[in-house]
Every structure is written in C-alpha cells, then in structure tokens.
Amino acid sequence: MVFGLFKKKEPVTVTVKGTGETFKCEPGQLLMKAAFAADVKWPHSCKVGSCGSCRATIVEGEGAYPSSPCDPTALLTKEEMDDGMVIACQWVPKTDITVDVEIGKEGDKRGMI
Ligand code: FES
C-alpha cells in the first residue's frame, strides 16, 4: 500500500542564505513567483526562462522544472547545474530549500550573454 499517494501536499519553506529571509512556496508554485508573492525582491528580467538573471543556487533541498519550455542547459553550464544552480522563474521546489541568491538586484542581467 502506498500511503504517500494520499498525503496532503503542504507548502515548502524557502530560506534565503545570507539574509535568513524565509517565505512559503505552494505545491507546484514556481520559486520566483513565490518570492514575488512574499514581496522578496528576487533578481529577474524576462520572467519566462530566457535571460538567466533569476538564477540562484540551491544549497539544500530538491526541486524540478515542471512542464516548462525552459531548457536550463541553454542558460547554465553543466558545472553550474552540478553545483545546484537553477533558473528560479521556471523551477519548483519539492522540499524545504535553502537558496543562495542576491536579493534586491531587480533587473540584474547576470545571465545575459
Ligand atoms: S527571469 Fe529571465 S530566466 Fe528567469
């Protein structure tokens, strides 16, 4: 018998490394969208997975890219992905996470090539 099928999905907690800021992310909610809902000034530009300015490093926890057209390999190197870097506007946390990101850099173009 698989009890996990009936487990109620709960929001996960996102902790920002450095500031210690925390916010909730609903099941299936994109990381950056949850940050915006909590008034966290997450770095961003396009919001659709094409610029890379929302990139962040997951220090602890897990997640995935849902049925998104975003191809993270177009924005991140294999080494960056191996180090836990994600495209936050297209990535969904599945567990509580700790994330390393520079808050307050709206319009940051770090990912622009
Ligand atoms: S904001 Fe442009 S890739 Fe996320």
Side-chain angles (χ1 to χ4, degrees), residues 19-38:
T19 66
E21 215 168 341
T22 64
F23 58 92
K24 294 289 183 190
C25 186
E26 296 296 325
Q29 188 176 28
L30 297 166
L31 174 56
M32 195 173 82
K33 217 169 190 176
F36 288 162

Side-chain angles (χ1 to χ4, degrees), residues 32 43-55 70 75 87-90:
M32 195 173 82
H44 68 281
S45 184
C46 73
K47 300 182 186 175
V48 294
S50 63
C51 73
S53 61
C54 62
R55 63 179 58 189
C70 173
L75 298 170
I87 302 299
C89 68
Q90 302 297 309

Side-chain angles (χ1 to χ4, degrees), residues 9-89:
K9 293 196 174 199
E10 301 285 339
V12 299
T13 300
V14 178
T15 303
V16 178
K17 185 183 168 190
T19 66
E21 215 168 341
T22 64
F23 58 92
K24 294 289 183 190
C25 186
E26 296 296 325
Q29 188 176 28
L30 297 166
L31 174 56
M32 195 173 82
K33 217 169 190 176
F36 288 162
D39 278 337
V40 174
K41 296 189 180 347
W42 199 278
H44 68 281
S45 184
C46 73
K47 300 182 186 175
V48 294
S50 63
C51 73
S53 61
C54 62
R55 63 179 58 189
T57 300
I58 307 305
V59 178
E60 208 176 308
E62 294 176 15
Y65 294 95
S67 55
S68 153
C70 173
D71 176 11
T73 61
L75 298 170
L76 303 173
T77 65
K78 182 182 180 327
E79 289 76 27
E80 288 173 327
M81 289 191 288
D82 288 348
D83 287 345
M85 193 169 278
V86 300
I87 302 299
C89 68

